[in-house]
Amino acid sequence: MPLQKLIDGFRDFKNRNGQPEFRQLVAQGQSPKIAIVACSDSRVDPALVFGSAPGDLFVIRNVANLVPPCELDDAHHGTSAALEYAVTQLMVDHVVVMGHAQCGGIASLVGISTPRPLPEHSFIKSWMSAAEGAFLRTRAQHPEADPQSLGRACEQESIRQSLDNLMTFPWVVERVKAGTLGIHGWYFDMTNEALLALDQVSGEFEVLG
Ligand SMILES: [Zn+2]
């Protein structure tokens, strides 16, 4: 039964983490140095992909690992709130936006149909509109591309867009300008088992590992 697996997993976790380091982490509070924006996709859990330990990563997950632009209204901006906490309270040294291959959110943008019809009022649609500009640019650059190639290019372009959007938050700009915060675009290419990073000078993704 799937839920029993979680309970068994928790018992393992308790055995593994009932160690002095974990107790110390609980007692002292978290002070991760890296915040990572990743997709909710069940295959791209940053802690598993990078083999991180408790306390290492402040993880923000959403559909298609998007950073929306800074919008100063009173709507419920979950991703912006988590970023604010990471950047202004935890004072992380780095924010990594990690996109990935075969992203369902991006697939819905490039016209690959979703597994089931979306509800009439779709939160996915309005959320994904944050990547609409990335999609339009990608389609203009690759007018002949098939949906899969277009999806891959759009997954990467939306990372560029998210990095631009990060720089619309005043507290990100302030710390980047002060040299105390680095922002990075990574792409987990599950298809080829590779990790790519956006070279911010060339604008291209290069293999990291
Ligand atoms: Zn995804």
Side-chain angles (χ1 to χ4, degrees):
M1 173 184 147
L3 285 181
Q4 188 57 46
K5 272 185 83 173
L6 297 191
I7 298 163
D8 294 344
F10 177 71
R11 291 200 181 106
D12 285 349
F13 172 83
K14 216 166 133 178
N15 291 337
R16 270 198 321 273
N17 292 295
Q19 313 293 338
E21 306 91 68
F22 191 69
R23 290 201 197 110
Q24 200 182 9
L25 190 60
V26 172
Q28 290 181 343
Q30 60 168 338
S31 54
K33 300 293 176 213
I34 300 168
I36 183 157
V37 181
C39 185
S40 300
D41 188 304
S42 58
R43 301 165 293 182
V44 301
D45 183 339
L48 295 177
V49 171
F50 300 120
S52 307
D56 286 351
L57 295 178
F58 186 79
V59 177
I60 304 162
R61 295 182 75 175
N62 62 41
V63 172
N65 46 266
L66 303 181
V67 175
C70 177
E71 292 168 316
L72 300 176
D73 55 36
D74 292 326
H76 299 118
H77 294 296
T79 294
S80 306
L83 280 167
E84 178 187 316
Y85 191 70
V87 172
T88 74
Q89 306 304 308
L90 295 172
M91 303 300 287
V92 295
D93 296 334
H94 301 276
V95 176
V96 178
V97 176
M98 183 178 80
H100 71 103
Q102 299 180 12
C103 183
I106 298 291
S108 73
L109 265 188
V110 302
I112 298 172
S113 55
T114 48
R116 291 177 184 79
L118 295 174
E120 198 173 323
H121 179 95
S122 169
F123 291 104
I124 297 176
K125 266 192 184 162
S126 54
W127 172 248
M128 287 308 300
S129 69
E132 183 74 19
F135 165 62
L136 295 174
R137 281 193 299 281
T138 307
R139 198 178 53 182
Q141 285 157 9
H142 308 274
E144 307 294 332
D146 60 83
Q148 270 69 27
S149 321
L150 196 60
R152 186 179 169 88
C154 189
E155 284 154 3
Q156 298 190 348
E157 183 62 17
S158 83
I159 297 171
R160 297 184 184 95
Q161 176 77 63
S162 284
L163 294 186
D164 288 349
N165 288 348
L166 263 178
M167 292 299 281
T168 63
F169 291 86
W171 25 265
V172 170
V173 174
E174 203 176 294
R175 289 201 50 211
V176 168
K177 282 192 174 159
T180 61
L181 180 70
I183 61 175
H184 314 270
W186 286 6
Y187 182 73
F188 174 35
D189 186 357
M190 301 191 297
T191 322
N192 300 305
E193 296 177 3
L195 180 67
L196 282 65
L198 178 65
D199 180 318
Q200 293 190 39
V201 177
S202 71
E204 297 303 322
F205 282 83
E206 314 285 353
V207 176
L208 267 188

